[in-house]
Amino acid sequence: MTLFDRVFGGNDAVYGLTEAAIDGAIAQYGADQAVAFPNTAYSLPCYYAVTGTKVTNLGELKEALGVVKTLMTREKRLNDAFMSGVATALCAEFIEVLKYINGAEPYSEPCYGHLADAIIRELGVPLVTGDIPGVAVILGSAPSKEEAVELVKSYQAQGILVTLVGGVIDQCVEAGLKMGNAVRIVPLGKDVTAVIHVVSVALRAALIFGNVTPGDAGALMKYTFERVPAFVNAFKPLDDVVVACGAGAIALGFPVVTNETENIFRVPKSLIVQEDVSKFNATSLEARDIKIKITKIDIPVSFASAFEGEIIRRGDMQVEFDGSRKDCFELVCTKDASEVEDHKFTLVGPDFDQMEVGSKQQIAYIVDVAGKNMQSDFEPVFERKFHSYINCIEGVMHTGQRDMIRIRISKNTFDAGFRAKDLAEVLYANIKNEFDAVVDKCAITIVTDAEECTKLRHELAVPAYDRRDERLTSLTDESVPVYYSCIMCQAFSPSHVCVVTPERLGLCGAVSWLDAKATHQLDPQGPCQVITKERVIDENLGRYEDVDEAVAKLSQGALEHVTLYSIMEDPMTSCGCFECICGIEPFSNGVIIANREYAGMTPLGMTFPDLASMTGGGVQTPGFMGHGKHFISSKKFMKAEGGIERIVWMPKDLKEQVAERLNETAKELYGIDNFCDMVGDETIATDPETLLEFLTEKGHPALGMDPMM
Ligand code: SF4
Ligand code: NI
Ligand code: NI
């Protein structure tokens, strides 16, 4: 049997199953029955991406199957095999979508099945920064459960997002492996067709971040090949269906590594036989050209970005440090070089083994840094990183910041020997690694003594935070000499540029003006460049000749004009990883804002994914704009259209998060008290009529403003 026979045979088999499944569904529900995956704006994302057609009901699904058939040519050429692979993948998507018919929830713990658009957007920044260096798709059953777990954990330790399909899931469950999106191990489903749910992620990434036109299959495959660092590990025995799916993966640029030796044909860099499962990791990374940045830290447990989202339950914790009950804080202090002894560690108070199991304690860590190029403006930038550093420790959870932190250390991690000096080591190694351009020396003091924590919190930390806050409020767009660009997201959105100003942070919410300034200082040729602001064209719109020039250059000519303060005139572009999106609500002359976490409906008749699908990919969409959460209370929020007075609706959760600062801004700008009480949310209205009634009753200022369109 040739490889062609296997691919074609597998494709034919799946096609037959799909046809029968669709016919069966039509017989049961009728051709008008709606079909789509939940929590996506793309209906059947793979079919939509490849063909540009959105399937809405079973009748259309049947028609779509006819289109799939046209891909199934049977010449023995490589392209025919690839297209049959793509056809197999599309059939798999059809079979999977039928599982969701009529609101069914076909997947249950630990399997995820279809992944929401929101999850893909969350992956944007870590994929861009290399925090997630790749995506592994593991298919079938490993020779033993030990080998399965070893392979999965090897990827996890590198920060790679691991998706599982088939028998390997049960092997990991049996071995007691902790799985889930939070630790970057995502079991998709046990049927081979579940593999489509990761393909769907890759193709939606092209639509969301890459501005690929649905139906442009060539551009789609180019995008996944160049920008989605995925690969497949398939365990033997491979049946023809798996081989056909593999051809689809290869068509998208994802190499397949397998331990199958029979009836298999090697294709350099694409279909690779590796009989030794313990070498799957190395072989895969090489085939996909994935480089792992490792921070080698000498501590008794793992340190990897995959552990960043890990949750430690109360029952599993050895000890907890709780800033809401005890005096805790984290602080970076800039010192003179003569005052800092590099890599010095001091512990003031008891170590973790002298604390009662399950108790609440106090902790403070002071990180003294010195360096010729160090500036005190960088202190908060470093400090904000502590959250991620400490979270990346296996079995350690960190939330909050400054003097409102909470840290939990698990029993397992404690039993492995993790102590205060290890916490210090993690901070030291990461600071030195990430900020080597400005930090020459770094010393860490950990304080667990109750009296000392209290004293230092009030005498050292709080005054330092106050000084910084004063500095931050004095930072306005007018008061600084330059802005910064950020093009980190160009890895996924080739024409996207963020212009970061003190009053407008990057739309991902992760890059403030100070962050951008520090990034520029650390890596002058890197993603953040200085943008001068000397040649103002229109102050109100935030239009500058300098900004236009910078944006034109950095977008390679894709953008000519960008304003900083308008949502209607040349608004800033969006890559896809925005925290929030705002869009105009014509009935009230206002705008609504939805955040990524919000799963419900908005008064525009669109969900967050729907709104987001209109505005990503580095293109300008007047009337819609992605932005960070902090921007909502900024005096520069759509200043050109009248500012925050235009906000008429937000999800309740988001409103609560921004209320304090938003109310302050409204008071200061317009003299309005408790502005947030005038803003609708989903408990008040999810349709424009009810919203309008509410706004009228509250006398919302937007109603009296000029129309935006
Ligand atoms: Fe991406 Fe903009 Fe955030 Fe930079 S600031 S990481 S370009 S969203
Ligand atoms: Ni952790
Ligand atoms: Ni982005």
Side-chain angles (χ1 to χ4, degrees), residues 564-697:
L564 303 182
Y565 309 137
S566 175
I567 170 183
M568 300 305 292
E569 278 192 56
D570 300 323
M572 221 181 271
T573 60
S574 302
C575 43
C577 49
F578 30 72
E579 289 187 298
C580 302
I581 188 155
C582 70
I584 50 176
E585 202 291 297
F587 295 94
S588 60
N589 285 332
V591 293
I592 65 117
I593 302 176
N595 52 322
R596 196 195 294 152
E597 298 86 348
Y598 179 64
M601 186 49 74
T602 71
L604 301 191
M606 290 188 267
T607 59
F608 178 85
D610 294 332
L611 287 165
S613 71
M614 302 176 51
T615 185
V619 286
Q620 291 175 310
T621 324
F624 295 89
M625 188 175 71
H627 57 86
K629 275 183 192 163
H630 269 294
F631 189 49
I632 297 174
S633 50
S634 166
K635 288 178 197 156
K636 299 297 195 291
F637 181 84
M638 337 179 3
K639 172 169 138 314
E641 284 84 27
I644 58 162
E645 264 188 319
R646 291 275 189 187
I647 302 174
V648 294
W649 189 94
M650 266 190 269
K652 196 160 188 290
D653 236 22
L654 179 64
K655 199 159 75 174
E656 278 163 13
Q657 286 175 44
V658 302
E660 198 184 321
R661 287 164 39 120
L662 186 57
N663 282 339
E664 254 173 50
T665 308
K667 178 80 186 163
E668 197 181 327
L669 289 184
Y670 321 106
I672 302 176
D673 284 306
N674 298 319
F675 174 64
C676 281
D677 295 347
M678 298 178 169
V679 176
D681 61 44
E682 75 277 20
T683 66
I684 295 162
T686 49
D687 67 275
E689 292 81 17
T690 320
L691 177 63
L692 196 57
E693 274 170 40
F694 168 81
L695 299 171
T696 313
E697 188 188 308

Side-chain angles (χ1 to χ4, degrees), residues 125 486-489 496-498 500 506-511 575 577:
V125 171
C486 181
I487 56 163
M488 233 175 306
C489 285
H496 173 69
V497 183
C498 275
V500 181
L507 56 87
C508 57
V511 179
C575 43
C577 49

